[in-house]
Coordinates of all heavy atoms in Angstrom, one line a residue:
M772 N 54.3 24.1 265.3 CA 54.4 23.3 266.5 C 53.3 22.2 266.6 O 52.2 22.5 266.2 CB 54.3 24.2 267.7 CG 55.4 23.9 268.7 SD 55.5 25.1 270.1 CE 54.0 25.0 270.9
Q773 N 53.7 21.1 267.1 CA 52.7 20.0 267.2 C 51.7 20.3 268.3 O 52.1 20.7 269.4 CB 53.4 18.7 267.4 CG 52.8 17.6 266.6 CD 53.4 16.3 266.8 OE1 54.5 16.2 267.5 NE2 52.8 15.2 266.3
K774 N 50.5 20.0 268.1 CA 49.4 20.2 269.1 C 49.5 19.0 270.1 O 49.6 17.9 269.7 CB 48.1 20.2 268.4 CG 47.1 21.2 269.1 CD 45.8 21.2 268.4 CE 44.7 21.0 269.3 NZ 43.4 20.7 268.7
Y775 N 49.4 19.4 271.3 CA 49.5 18.4 272.4 C 48.1 17.7 272.5 O 47.1 18.3 272.7 CB 49.9 19.0 273.7 CG 49.8 18.0 274.9 CD1 50.7 17.0 275.0 CD2 48.7 18.2 275.8 CE1 50.6 16.1 276.1 CE2 48.6 17.3 276.9 CZ 49.6 16.3 277.0 OH 49.4 15.4 278.0
I776 N 48.1 16.4 272.4 CA 46.9 15.6 272.5 C 47.0 14.7 273.8 O 47.8 13.9 273.9 CB 46.6 14.8 271.3 CG1 46.4 15.7 270.1 CG2 45.3 13.9 271.5 CD1 46.6 15.1 268.8
P777 N 46.1 15.0 274.7 CA 46.2 14.2 275.9 C 45.8 12.7 275.7 O 45.0 12.4 274.8 CB 45.2 14.8 276.9 CG 44.3 15.7 276.1 CD 45.0 16.0 274.8
N778 N 46.3 11.8 276.5 CA 45.9 10.4 276.5 C 44.7 10.1 277.3 O 44.5 10.7 278.4 CB 47.1 9.6 276.9 CG 48.2 9.6 275.9 OD1 48.0 9.7 274.8 ND2 49.4 9.5 276.5
R779 N 44.0 9.1 276.9 CA 42.8 8.6 277.6 C 42.8 7.1 277.6 O 43.4 6.5 276.6 CB 41.5 9.1 277.1 CG 41.3 10.6 277.3 CD 41.1 11.0 278.7 NE 40.8 12.4 278.9 CZ 41.7 13.3 279.1 NH1 43.0 13.0 279.1 NH2 41.4 14.6 279.3
K780 N 42.2 6.5 278.5 CA 42.2 5.0 278.6 C 40.8 4.5 278.1 O 39.8 5.0 278.4 CB 42.4 4.6 280.0 CG 42.5 3.1 280.1 CD 43.3 2.7 281.4 CE 42.5 2.7 282.6 NZ 43.1 2.0 283.8
C781 N 40.9 3.5 277.2 CA 39.7 2.9 276.7 C 39.1 2.1 277.8 O 39.7 1.3 278.5 CB 40.1 1.9 275.5 SG 38.8 0.8 275.0
V782 N 37.7 2.2 278.0 CA 37.1 1.5 279.0 C 36.8 0.0 278.6 O 36.3 -0.8 279.4 CB 35.7 2.2 279.5 CG1 36.0 3.5 280.1 CG2 34.7 2.2 278.3
G783 N 37.2 -0.3 277.4 CA 37.1 -1.7 277.0 C 38.4 -2.5 277.2 O 38.5 -3.2 278.2
C784 N 39.4 -2.2 276.4 CA 40.6 -3.0 276.5 C 41.6 -2.4 277.5 O 42.6 -2.9 277.8 CB 41.3 -3.0 275.1 SG 41.8 -1.4 274.5
Q785 N 41.3 -1.2 278.1 CA 42.1 -0.5 279.1 C 43.4 0.0 278.5 O 44.3 0.4 279.2 CB 42.5 -1.4 280.3 CG 41.3 -2.2 280.8 CD 40.4 -1.3 281.6 OE1 40.8 -0.4 282.4 NE2 39.1 -1.4 281.3
E786 N 43.6 0.1 277.2 CA 44.8 0.7 276.6 C 44.7 2.2 276.6 O 43.6 2.7 276.5 CB 44.9 0.2 275.1 CG 45.8 -1.0 274.9 CD 45.8 -1.4 273.5 OE1 46.2 -0.5 272.6 OE2 45.5 -2.5 273.2
V787 N 45.9 2.8 276.8 CA 45.9 4.3 276.8 C 46.3 4.7 275.5 O 47.3 4.3 274.9 CB 46.9 4.7 277.9 CG1 47.1 6.2 277.9 CG2 46.4 4.3 279.3
K788 N 45.5 5.7 274.9 CA 45.8 6.2 273.6 C 45.5 7.7 273.5 O 44.8 8.2 274.3 CB 44.9 5.5 272.5 CG 45.1 4.0 272.4 CD 44.2 3.4 271.3 CE 44.5 1.9 271.3 NZ 43.7 1.3 270.2
P789 N 46.1 8.4 272.5 CA 45.7 9.8 272.3 C 44.2 9.9 272.1 O 43.6 9.1 271.4 CB 46.4 10.2 271.0 CG 47.5 9.2 270.8 CD 47.0 7.9 271.5
K790 N 43.6 10.9 272.8 CA 42.1 10.9 272.9 C 41.5 11.1 271.5 O 40.3 10.7 271.3 CB 41.6 11.8 273.9 CG 41.8 13.3 273.7 CD 41.2 14.1 274.8 CE 40.3 15.1 274.3 NZ 39.5 15.9 275.2
N791 N 42.2 11.6 270.5 CA 41.6 11.8 269.2 C 41.5 10.5 268.5 O 40.8 10.5 267.4 CB 42.4 12.9 268.4 CG 43.8 12.5 268.1 OD1 44.3 11.5 268.7 ND2 44.5 13.2 267.3
Q792 N 42.1 9.4 269.0 CA 41.9 8.1 268.3 C 40.8 7.3 269.0 O 40.5 6.2 268.6 CB 43.2 7.3 268.5 CG 44.3 7.8 267.6 CD 45.6 7.0 267.8 OE1 45.6 5.9 268.3 NE2 46.7 7.6 267.5
L793 N 40.1 7.9 270.0 CA 39.1 7.2 270.7 C 37.8 7.9 270.5 O 37.7 9.1 270.1 CB 39.5 7.2 272.2 CG 40.8 6.6 272.6 CD1 41.2 6.9 274.0 CD2 40.7 5.1 272.4
L794 N 36.7 7.2 270.8 CA 35.4 7.8 270.8 C 35.0 8.2 272.2 O 35.1 7.4 273.1 CB 34.4 6.7 270.2 CG 32.9 7.2 270.3 CD1 32.6 8.3 269.3 CD2 31.9 6.0 270.0
R795 N 34.5 9.4 272.3 CA 34.1 9.9 273.7 C 32.6 9.6 273.9 O 31.8 9.9 273.0 CB 34.4 11.4 273.8 CG 34.1 11.9 275.2 CD 34.5 13.4 275.3 NE 34.5 13.8 276.7 CZ 33.5 14.6 277.2 NH1 32.5 15.1 276.4 NH2 33.5 15.0 278.5
I796 N 32.3 9.1 275.1 CA 30.9 9.0 275.5 C 30.8 10.0 276.6 O 31.6 10.0 277.6 CB 30.6 7.6 276.0 CG1 31.1 6.5 275.0 CG2 29.1 7.4 276.4 CD1 30.4 6.5 273.7
A797 N 29.8 10.9 276.5 CA 29.6 11.9 277.5 C 28.4 11.7 278.4 O 27.4 11.2 277.9 CB 29.6 13.3 276.9
K798 N 28.5 12.0 279.6 CA 27.4 12.0 280.5 C 27.2 13.4 281.2 O 28.2 13.9 281.7 CB 27.6 11.0 281.6 CG 26.4 10.9 282.6 CD 26.8 10.3 284.0 CE 27.3 11.4 284.9 NZ 27.6 10.9 286.3
N799 N 26.0 13.9 281.1 CA 25.7 15.1 281.8 C 24.3 15.1 282.3 O 23.6 14.0 282.3 CB 26.0 16.3 280.9 CG 25.2 16.3 279.6 OD1 24.0 16.0 279.6 ND2 25.9 16.7 278.5
D800 N 23.8 16.2 282.8 CA 22.4 16.1 283.4 C 21.3 15.9 282.4 O 20.2 15.7 282.8 CB 22.2 17.4 284.2 CG 22.4 18.7 283.5 OD1 22.5 18.6 282.2 OD2 22.4 19.8 284.1
R801 N 21.6 15.8 281.1 CA 20.6 15.5 280.1 C 20.7 14.1 279.7 O 19.8 13.6 278.9 CB 20.7 16.4 278.9 CG 20.4 17.9 279.3 CD 20.7 18.9 278.2 NE 20.1 18.4 276.9 CZ 20.7 18.5 275.8 NH1 21.9 19.0 275.7 NH2 20.1 18.1 274.7
G802 N 21.6 13.3 280.1 CA 21.7 11.9 279.8 C 23.1 11.5 279.3 O 24.1 12.1 279.6
V803 N 23.1 10.4 278.6 CA 24.4 9.8 278.1 C 24.4 10.0 276.5 O 23.4 9.7 275.9 CB 24.5 8.4 278.5 CG1 25.9 7.8 278.0 CG2 24.4 8.2 280.0
F804 N 25.5 10.4 276.0 CA 25.6 10.7 274.6 C 26.8 10.2 273.9 O 27.9 10.1 274.6 CB 25.5 12.2 274.3 CG 24.3 12.9 274.9 CD1 24.4 13.4 276.2 CD2 23.1 13.0 274.2 CE1 23.3 14.0 276.8 CE2 22.0 13.6 274.8 CZ 22.1 14.1 276.1
I805 N 26.7 9.9 272.6 CA 27.9 9.6 271.8 C 28.5 11.0 271.4 O 27.8 11.8 270.8 CB 27.6 8.8 270.6 CG1 27.0 7.4 270.9 CG2 28.8 8.7 269.6 CD1 26.5 6.6 269.8
D806 N 29.7 11.3 271.8 CA 30.2 12.6 271.7 C 31.4 12.6 270.7 O 32.6 12.6 271.0 CB 30.7 13.1 273.0 CG 31.2 14.5 273.0 OD1 31.0 15.2 272.0 OD2 31.9 14.9 273.9
E807 N 31.0 12.4 269.4 CA 32.0 12.2 268.3 C 33.0 13.4 268.3 O 34.2 13.2 268.0 CB 31.3 12.2 267.0 CG 31.2 10.8 266.4 CD 30.7 10.9 265.0 OE1 29.5 11.3 264.8 OE2 31.4 10.6 264.1
K808 N 32.5 14.6 268.5 CA 33.4 15.8 268.4 C 34.1 16.1 269.7 O 34.9 17.0 269.8 CB 32.6 17.0 267.9 CG 32.0 16.8 266.5 CD 31.6 18.1 265.9 CE 31.3 17.9 264.4 NZ 30.1 17.1 264.1
Q809 N 33.8 15.3 270.7 CA 34.5 15.5 272.0 C 34.3 16.9 272.6 O 35.3 17.5 273.1 CB 36.0 15.1 271.9 CG 36.2 13.7 271.2 CD 37.5 13.1 271.5 OE1 38.4 13.7 272.0 NE2 37.6 11.8 271.3
R810 N 33.1 17.4 272.5 CA 32.9 18.8 272.9 C 31.8 18.9 273.9 O 31.5 20.0 274.4 CB 32.5 19.6 271.7 CG 33.7 20.0 270.9 CD 33.3 21.0 269.9 NE 34.3 21.1 268.8 CZ 33.9 21.2 267.5 NH1 32.7 21.2 267.1 NH2 34.9 21.2 266.6
L811 N 31.1 17.8 274.2 CA 30.0 17.9 275.1 C 30.4 18.1 276.5 O 31.5 17.6 276.9 CB 29.1 16.7 275.0 CG 28.3 16.5 273.7 CD1 27.5 15.2 273.8 CD2 27.3 17.7 273.5
P812 N 29.7 18.9 277.3 CA 30.1 19.1 278.7 C 29.8 17.8 279.5 O 29.0 16.9 279.0 CB 29.2 20.2 279.2 CG 28.0 20.1 278.3 CD 28.5 19.6 277.0
G813 N 30.4 17.7 280.6 CA 30.1 16.6 281.5 C 31.2 15.6 281.6 O 32.3 15.8 281.0
R814 N 31.0 14.5 282.2 CA 32.0 13.5 282.4 C 32.1 12.7 281.1 O 31.2 12.4 280.4 CB 31.5 12.6 283.5 CG 32.6 11.8 284.2 CD 32.0 11.0 285.4 NE 33.1 10.1 285.8 CZ 34.1 10.4 286.6 NH1 34.1 11.6 287.1 NH2 35.0 9.5 286.9
G815 N 33.4 12.3 280.8 CA 33.6 11.5 279.6 C 34.2 10.1 279.8 O 35.0 10.0 280.7
A816 N 33.8 9.2 279.0 CA 34.5 7.9 279.0 C 34.9 7.7 277.5 O 34.3 8.2 276.6 CB 33.6 6.8 279.4
Y817 N 36.0 6.9 277.3 CA 36.5 6.7 276.0 C 36.6 5.2 275.6 O 36.8 4.4 276.4 CB 37.9 7.3 275.9 CG 37.9 8.8 276.1 CD1 37.8 9.4 277.4 CD2 37.9 9.7 275.0 CE1 37.7 10.7 277.6 CE2 37.8 11.0 275.2 CZ 37.7 11.6 276.4 OH 37.7 12.9 276.6
L818 N 36.4 5.0 274.3 CA 36.4 3.7 273.7 C 37.2 3.7 272.4 O 37.1 4.7 271.6 CB 35.0 3.3 273.3 CG 34.1 2.6 274.3 CD1 32.7 2.4 273.7 CD2 34.6 1.2 274.7
C819 N 38.0 2.7 272.2 CA 38.6 2.5 270.9 C 37.5 2.4 269.8 O 36.4 1.9 270.1 CB 39.5 1.3 270.8 SG 40.8 1.2 272.0
K820 N 37.9 2.7 268.6 CA 36.9 2.7 267.6 C 36.8 1.3 267.0 O 37.1 1.1 265.8 CB 37.2 3.7 266.5 CG 37.1 5.1 267.1 CD 37.5 6.2 266.2 CE 37.3 7.6 266.8 NZ 37.7 8.7 266.0
K821 N 36.6 0.3 267.8 CA 36.5 -1.1 267.4 C 35.4 -1.8 268.1 O 35.2 -1.6 269.4 CB 37.8 -1.9 267.8 CG 39.1 -1.3 267.4 CD 40.2 -2.3 267.7 CE 40.7 -2.3 269.1 NZ 42.0 -3.0 269.2
A822 N 34.6 -2.6 267.4 CA 33.5 -3.3 268.0 C 34.0 -4.2 269.2 O 33.2 -4.3 270.2 CB 32.8 -4.2 267.0
E823 N 35.2 -4.7 269.1 CA 35.7 -5.5 270.2 C 35.7 -4.8 271.5 O 35.4 -5.3 272.6 CB 37.1 -5.9 269.8 CG 37.7 -7.1 270.5 CD 39.2 -7.2 270.3 OE1 39.6 -7.0 269.1 OE2 39.9 -7.6 271.2
C824 N 36.1 -3.5 271.5 CA 36.2 -2.7 272.7 C 34.9 -2.4 273.3 O 34.7 -2.4 274.5 CB 37.1 -1.5 272.5 SG 38.8 -1.9 272.3
L825 N 33.9 -2.2 272.4 CA 32.5 -1.9 272.8 C 32.0 -3.2 273.5 O 31.4 -3.1 274.6 CB 31.7 -1.6 271.6 CG 30.2 -1.5 271.9 CD1 29.9 -0.4 273.0 CD2 29.4 -1.1 270.6
H826 N 32.3 -4.3 272.9 CA 31.9 -5.6 273.5 C 32.5 -5.8 274.9 O 31.9 -6.2 275.9 CB 32.4 -6.7 272.5 CG 32.0 -8.1 273.0 ND1 30.7 -8.6 273.0 CD2 32.8 -9.1 273.6 CE1 30.7 -9.8 273.6 NE2 32.0 -10.1 273.9
L827 N 33.8 -5.5 275.0 CA 34.5 -5.6 276.3 C 34.0 -4.7 277.3 O 33.8 -5.0 278.5 CB 36.0 -5.4 276.1 CG 36.9 -6.5 275.6 CD1 38.3 -5.9 275.3 CD2 37.0 -7.6 276.6
A828 N 33.7 -3.5 276.9 CA 33.2 -2.4 277.8 C 31.8 -2.9 278.3 O 31.5 -2.7 279.5 CB 33.0 -1.1 277.1
K829 N 31.0 -3.5 277.5 CA 29.7 -4.0 277.9 C 29.9 -5.1 278.9 O 29.2 -5.0 280.0 CB 29.0 -4.6 276.7 CG 28.0 -3.7 276.0 CD 27.1 -4.5 275.1 CE 27.3 -4.0 273.7 NZ 26.5 -4.7 272.7
K830 N 30.8 -6.0 278.6 CA 31.0 -7.1 279.5 C 31.5 -6.7 280.9 O 31.0 -7.2 281.9 CB 32.0 -8.1 278.8 CG 31.7 -9.5 279.1 CD 32.5 -10.4 278.2 CE 33.9 -10.6 278.7 NZ 34.7 -11.6 277.8
K831 N 32.4 -5.8 280.8 CA 33.0 -5.4 282.1 C 32.3 -4.2 282.7 O 32.8 -3.6 283.7 CB 34.5 -5.0 281.9 CG 35.3 -6.2 281.4 CD 36.8 -5.9 281.5 CE 37.5 -5.9 280.2 NZ 38.9 -5.5 280.3
K832 N 31.3 -3.7 282.1 CA 30.6 -2.5 282.6 C 31.5 -1.3 282.7 O 31.4 -0.5 283.7 CB 29.9 -2.8 283.9 CG 28.8 -3.9 283.8 CD 27.8 -3.8 284.9 CE 26.7 -4.8 284.8 NZ 25.8 -4.6 283.6
G833 N 32.4 -1.2 281.8 CA 33.4 -0.1 281.8 C 32.8 1.3 281.7 O 33.2 2.2 282.4
L834 N 31.7 1.4 280.9 CA 31.1 2.7 280.8 C 30.4 3.1 282.1 O 30.5 4.2 282.6 CB 30.1 2.7 279.7 CG 30.6 2.8 278.3 CD1 29.5 2.6 277.2 CD2 31.4 4.1 278.0
E835 N 29.7 2.1 282.7 CA 29.0 2.3 284.0 C 29.9 2.8 285.0 O 29.7 3.8 285.8 CB 28.3 1.1 284.5 CG 27.0 0.8 283.9 CD 27.0 -0.1 282.6 OE1 28.1 -0.2 282.0 OE2 26.0 -0.7 282.3
R836 N 31.1 2.1 285.1 CA 32.0 2.4 286.1 C 32.7 3.7 285.9 O 32.9 4.5 286.9 CB 33.1 1.3 286.2 CG 32.5 0.1 287.0 CD 33.6 -0.8 287.4 NE 34.4 -1.2 286.3 CZ 35.0 -2.4 286.2 NH1 35.0 -3.2 287.2 NH2 35.7 -2.7 285.2
S837 N 33.0 4.0 284.7 CA 33.7 5.3 284.4 C 32.8 6.5 284.5 O 33.2 7.5 285.0 CB 34.3 5.2 283.0 OG 34.9 6.4 282.7
L838 N 31.6 6.3 284.1 CA 30.6 7.5 284.1 C 29.8 7.5 285.4 O 29.1 8.5 285.6 CB 29.7 7.4 282.9 CG 30.4 7.5 281.5 CD1 29.4 7.3 280.4 CD2 31.1 8.9 281.4
K839 N 29.8 6.5 286.2 CA 29.1 6.4 287.4 C 27.6 6.6 287.1 O 26.9 7.4 287.8 CB 29.6 7.3 288.4 CG 31.0 7.2 288.8 CD 31.5 8.0 289.9 CE 33.0 8.2 290.0 NZ 33.8 6.9 289.9
V840 N 27.1 5.8 286.2 CA 25.7 5.9 285.8 C 25.2 4.6 285.2 O 26.1 3.8 284.8 CB 25.5 7.1 284.8 CG1 26.1 6.7 283.4 CG2 24.1 7.5 284.6
T841 N 23.9 4.3 285.3 CA 23.4 3.1 284.7 C 23.2 3.4 283.2 O 22.6 4.4 282.8 CB 22.1 2.7 285.3 OG1 22.3 2.6 286.7 CG2 21.6 1.4 284.7
I842 N 23.8 2.5 282.3 CA 23.7 2.7 280.9 C 22.5 1.9 280.4 O 22.4 0.7 280.6 CB 24.9 2.2 280.1 CG1 26.2 2.8 280.7 CG2 24.8 2.4 278.6 CD1 26.4 4.2 280.4
P843 N 21.5 2.5 279.9 CA 20.3 1.8 279.4 C 20.6 0.9 278.2 O 21.5 1.3 277.4 CB 19.3 2.9 279.0 CG 20.0 4.2 279.0 CD 21.4 4.0 279.7
K844 N 19.9 -0.2 278.1 CA 20.1 -1.1 277.0 C 20.0 -0.3 275.6 O 20.7 -0.6 274.7 CB 19.1 -2.2 277.0 CG 19.3 -3.3 276.0 CD 18.2 -4.3 275.9 CE 18.4 -5.2 274.7 NZ 18.3 -4.6 273.4
E845 N 19.0 0.6 275.6 CA 18.8 1.4 274.4 C 20.1 2.1 273.9 O 20.4 2.3 272.8 CB 17.7 2.5 274.6 CG 16.3 2.0 274.7 CD 16.1 1.3 276.1 OE1 16.8 1.7 277.1 OE2 15.3 0.3 276.1
F846 N 20.9 2.6 274.9 CA 22.1 3.3 274.6 C 23.2 2.3 274.0 O 23.9 2.6 273.1 CB 22.7 4.0 275.8 CG 23.9 4.9 275.4 CD1 23.7 6.1 274.7 CD2 25.2 4.6 275.8 CE1 24.7 6.9 274.3 CE2 26.2 5.4 275.4 CZ 26.0 6.5 274.7
Y847 N 23.2 1.1 274.5 CA 24.1 0.1 274.0 C 23.7 -0.3 272.6 O 24.5 -0.5 271.7 CB 24.1 -1.1 274.9 CG 25.1 -1.0 276.1 CD1 24.6 -1.2 277.3 CD2 26.4 -0.7 275.9 CE1 25.4 -1.1 278.4 CE2 27.3 -0.5 277.0 CZ 26.8 -0.8 278.2 OH 27.6 -0.6 279.3
D848 N 22.4 -0.3 272.4 CA 21.9 -0.6 271.0 C 22.3 0.5 270.0 O 22.7 0.2 268.9 CB 20.3 -0.7 271.0 CG 19.8 -1.9 271.7 OD1 20.6 -2.8 272.0 OD2 18.6 -2.0 272.1
L849 N 22.2 1.7 270.5 CA 22.6 2.8 269.7 C 24.2 2.8 269.4 O 24.6 3.0 268.3 CB 22.4 4.1 270.5 CG 22.4 5.4 269.8 CD1 21.2 5.6 268.9 CD2 22.4 6.6 270.7
L850 N 24.9 2.4 270.4 CA 26.4 2.2 270.2 C 26.7 1.1 269.2 O 27.6 1.3 268.4 CB 27.1 2.0 271.5 CG 27.4 3.2 272.4 CD1 27.9 2.7 273.8 CD2 28.5 4.0 271.8
D851 N 26.0 0.0 269.4 CA 26.2 -1.1 268.4 C 26.0 -0.7 267.0 O 26.8 -0.9 266.1 CB 25.2 -2.2 268.7 CG 25.6 -3.2 269.8 OD1 26.8 -3.3 270.0 OD2 24.7 -3.8 270.5
K852 N 24.9 0.1 266.8 CA 24.6 0.6 265.5 C 25.6 1.6 265.0 O 26.1 1.5 263.9 CB 23.2 1.3 265.5 CG 22.6 1.4 264.2 CD 21.0 1.7 264.4 CE 20.5 2.3 263.1 NZ 20.5 3.8 263.1
F853 N 26.0 2.5 265.9 CA 27.0 3.5 265.5 C 28.3 2.8 265.2 O 29.0 3.2 264.2 CB 27.2 4.4 266.8 CG 28.1 5.6 266.5 CD1 27.6 6.7 265.9 CD2 29.5 5.5 266.8 CE1 28.4 7.8 265.7 CE2 30.3 6.6 266.5 CZ 29.8 7.7 265.9
F854 N 28.8 1.9 265.9 CA 30.0 1.2 265.6 C 29.9 0.4 264.3 O 30.8 0.4 263.5 CB 30.4 0.2 266.8 CG 31.3 0.9 267.8 CD1 30.7 1.9 268.6 CD2 32.6 0.5 268.1 CE1 31.5 2.5 269.6 CE2 33.3 1.2 269.0 CZ 32.8 2.1 269.8
A855 N 28.8 -0.3 264.1 CA 28.6 -1.0 262.9 C 28.7 -0.1 261.7 O 29.2 -0.5 260.6 CB 27.3 -1.8 262.9
E856 N 28.1 1.1 261.8 CA 28.0 2.0 260.6 C 29.3 2.7 260.4 O 29.7 3.0 259.3 CB 26.9 3.0 260.8 CG 25.5 2.3 260.5 CD 24.4 3.3 260.9 OE1 24.7 4.4 261.3 OE2 23.3 2.8 260.8
N857 N 30.0 3.1 261.5 CA 31.2 3.9 261.3 C 32.6 3.3 261.4 O 33.5 3.8 260.8 CB 31.1 5.0 262.4 CG 29.9 6.0 262.2 OD1 30.0 6.8 261.3 ND2 28.9 5.7 262.9
Y858 N 32.6 2.2 262.2 CA 33.9 1.6 262.5 C 34.0 0.2 262.0 O 33.8 -0.7 262.7 CB 34.3 1.7 263.9 CG 34.1 3.1 264.5 CD1 33.5 3.2 265.8 CD2 34.6 4.2 263.9 CE1 33.4 4.5 266.3 CE2 34.4 5.4 264.4 CZ 33.8 5.6 265.7 OH 33.7 6.8 266.2
K859 N 34.2 0.1 260.7 CA 34.2 -1.3 260.1 C 35.6 -1.9 260.3 O 36.6 -1.2 259.9 CB 33.9 -1.2 258.7 CG 32.5 -0.8 258.5 CD 32.0 -0.8 257.0 CE 30.5 -0.5 256.9 NZ 30.2 0.8 257.3
N860 N 35.7 -3.0 261.0 CA 37.0 -3.6 261.1 C 36.9 -5.2 261.2 O 35.8 -5.7 261.3 CB 37.8 -3.1 262.4 CG 36.9 -3.2 263.6 OD1 36.8 -4.3 264.2 ND2 36.4 -2.1 264.1
Ligands
LIG1369 ZN1 40.0 -0.4 273.5

């Protein structure tokens, strides 16, 4: 039987996709994290695995709005690096 995969919306381009095709960003009482395995507790926001969507999310403050938290510049720097290293497109 096929496993059911729920859909989530990218906070960059706003497209809805199966969540296993997206990168989860988690927020909990310890901070904001890149949650590659989608297992961290807390609130989650999702991004397509494309630099373009990260760029859009930054511009539109999609992560801030979705996670209801201020995203430090350092975290965006980390995301930039993560996308550059992992998602070449
Ligand atoms: Zn997207």
Side-chain angles (χ1 to χ4, degrees):
M772 228 172 61
Q773 222 183 349
K774 215 176 127 193
Y775 172 73
I776 296 160
N778 288 329
R779 291 291 182 271
K780 188 156 78 169
C781 168
V782 297
C784 66
Q785 312 289 314
E786 264 179 57
V787 175
K788 297 184 180 179
K790 67 179 230 173
N791 63 349
Q792 290 177 21
L793 301 166
L794 174 69
R795 184 174 190 257
I796 310 296
K798 179 201 90 173
N799 57 42
D800 52 11
R801 294 173 50 221
V803 185
F804 302 93
I805 296 172
D806 183 16
E807 256 189 295
K808 298 199 165 68
Q809 311 201 343
R810 280 188 202 138
L811 292 177
R814 203 177 166 84
Y817 294 81
L818 272 173
C819 302
K820 298 175 176 181
K821 307 191 277 198
E823 195 192 325
C824 287
L825 174 58
H826 178 75
L827 279 172
K829 263 194 241 182
K830 216 168 79 177
K831 297 197 241 174
K832 298 201 176 295
L834 287 173
E835 277 92 341
R836 282 199 299 213
S837 179
L838 298 174
K839 303 186 196 315
V840 71
T841 303
I842 308 288
K844 188 188 171 292
E845 291 72 32
F846 188 71
Y847 279 125
D848 291 345
L849 194 73
L850 275 173
D851 276 335
K852 197 162 163 268
F853 185 86
F854 271 65
E856 282 171 6
N857 294 282
Y858 309 136
K859 298 186 171 65
N860 56 73

